[in-house]
């Protein structure tokens, strides 16, 4: 099939491209844009390694075609923080040893952002339940859950500080 023109805003940059209709969003990100932080860990839409944010909500990027994201905004792990300025979730995974091989980590971090977006103070049970779509083959999840709790606390604190500064 002929390629189709799309413009997807990726990590804040409007990105025009030609994509084949059969191209999955994850393939577009990895193969056309070389954003290889988004991983492919299964072919059954179960593992969550491919999780990205689409218009602010977490999606498994292997479950949709790139053409379906035309006109939308995608954020990948490359866009959430930087080496010099880690996102609080990235910092928490580092500090709480929330990874071993790291393969699942980009998807875990994007899923964590969604968990905290939905509830800035999630309980351990909520975190475990909402992580149900993300598999880790290494860590046993305990430190991942700790990392998400810790990141949520840091983000609440930062939010309170920002609110205080706005009031001053
Ligand atoms: Fe998308 Fe596994 S690669 S869920
Ligand atoms: Fe290895 Fe999760 S850290 S799969």
């Amino acid at each position: 099939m002929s390629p189709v023109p799309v413009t997807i805003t990726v990590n804040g940059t409007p990105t025009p491209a030609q994509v084949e209709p059969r191209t999955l969003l994850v393939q577009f990100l990895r193969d056309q844009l070389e954003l290889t932080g988004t991983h492919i860990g299964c072919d059954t839409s179960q593992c969550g390694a491919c999780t990205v944010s689409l218009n602010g909500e977490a999606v498994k990027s292997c479950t949709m075609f790139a053409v379906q994201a035309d006109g939308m905004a995608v954020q990948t792990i490359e866009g959430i923080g930087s080496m010099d300025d880690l996102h609080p979730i990235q910092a928490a995974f580092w500090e709480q040893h929330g990874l071993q091989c790291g393969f699942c980590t980009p998807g875990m971090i994007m899923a964590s952002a969604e968990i905290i977006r939905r509830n800035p103070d999630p309980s351990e049970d909520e975190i475990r339940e909402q992580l149900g779509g993300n598999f880790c083959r290494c860590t046993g999840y305990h430190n991942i859950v700790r990392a998400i709790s810790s990141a949520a606390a840091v983000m609440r604190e930062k939010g309170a500080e920002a609110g205080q500064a706005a009031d001053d």
Side-chain angles (χ1 to χ4, degrees), residues 1-4 18-24 27 32 65-67:
M1 276 210 196
S2 311
V4 174
Q18 298 282 330
V19 294
E20 287 188 31
R22 65 179 177 176
T23 302
L24 297 173
Q27 293 169 327
Q32 283 186 239
F65 296 111
V67 291

Side-chain angles (χ1 to χ4, degrees), residues 87-89 113 116 150-160:
H87 187 282
I89 301 173
I116 296 170
S150 167
V154 168
M155 290 166 74
R156 288 196 303 278
E157 205 172 300
K158 285 193 172 186

Side-chain angles (χ1 to χ4, degrees), residues 7-144:
T7 299
I8 303 172
T9 298
V10 180
N11 296 329
T13 304
T15 307
Q18 298 282 330
V19 294
E20 287 188 31
R22 65 179 177 176
T23 302
L24 297 173
L25 180 59
V26 68
Q27 293 169 327
F28 171 68
L29 294 170
R30 288 178 56 83
D31 301 339
Q32 283 186 239
L33 303 188
E34 298 185 350
L35 293 172
T36 54
T38 301
H39 290 166
I40 299 172
C42 70
D43 56 10
T44 51
S45 301
Q46 287 183 310
C47 76
C50 62
T51 304
V52 299
S53 167
L54 181 72
N55 280 0
E57 292 189 18
V59 297
K60 292 179 177 179
S61 58
C62 72
T63 62
M64 61 181 290
F65 296 111
V67 291
Q68 293 176 289
D70 187 24
M72 297 189 174
V74 174
Q75 186 184 43
T76 69
I77 190 67
E78 288 89 350
I80 202 169
S82 68
M83 289 294 283
D84 296 331
D85 185 19
L86 292 179
H87 187 282
I89 301 173
Q90 293 174 308
F93 269 69
W94 173 278
E95 286 156 9
Q96 301 294 327
H97 307 288
L99 61 133
Q100 287 183 24
C101 78
F103 188 84
C104 71
T105 311
M108 284 288 180
I109 287 174
M110 299 310 290
S112 303
E114 174 78 7
I115 292 170
I116 296 170
R117 184 184 70 79
R118 285 191 200 151
N119 180 0
D121 190 7
S123 68
E124 180 176 334
D125 284 349
E126 280 174 319
I127 293 170
R128 287 184 183 278
E129 192 199 330
Q130 291 183 40
L131 271 189
N134 289 73
F135 295 171
C136 176
R137 294 165 176 87
C138 305
T139 65
Y141 298 94
H142 295 300
N143 288 358
I144 292 174

